Amino acid sequence: MFDRTIHRTIHFDRPFRLPGVDETIVAGDYEMDDDEVPIEGLSWLTYRRVAIFIKLPATVENHYRMRMIQIEPDELARLIALGGAEISNTPGQ
């Protein structure tokens, strides 16, 4: 079985903060990747998520460094619940 990555876009209506990131991140669209691995031993194919990453583009504020920041599912749910984030693009492979 093969692992898979699902690429999606998340939109933030207002600036936000992520644990482990010193600066406030500006509102806008960000690429998001869900890494999943197959669950073995079942009679059907299913996956479980093992990591979520948000890609932060290079900017003046972060000294022109593009970063992939791992985010916990609970933190992502918190940002969405605050009304400042919306995931778009139906997950695809």
Side-chain angles (χ1 to χ4, degrees), residues 17-28:
R17 296 192 58 96
L18 291 174
V21 178
D22 294 332
E23 71 268 9
T24 298
I25 302 162
V26 298

Side-chain angles (χ1 to χ4, degrees), residues 38-69:
I39 298 175
E40 309 233 354
L42 300 175
S43 58
W44 63 90
L45 180 61
T46 191
Y47 290 83
R48 71 179 174 91
R49 183 173 51 206
V50 294
I52 303 170
F53 294 92
I54 293 179
K55 185 187 294 184
L56 301 180
T59 63
V60 172
E61 291 82 13
N62 67 24
H63 306 288
Y64 301 103
R65 296 175 300 156
M66 189 283 294
R67 295 174 288 172
M68 294 287 286
I69 305 296

Side-chain angles (χ1 to χ4, degrees), residues 9-10 12 16 25-26 28-32 54-57:
T9 301
I10 186 165
F12 292 93
F16 62 101
I25 302 162
V26 298
D29 293 334
Y30 293 87
E31 294 177 35
M32 186 172 77
I54 293 179
K55 185 187 294 184
L56 301 180

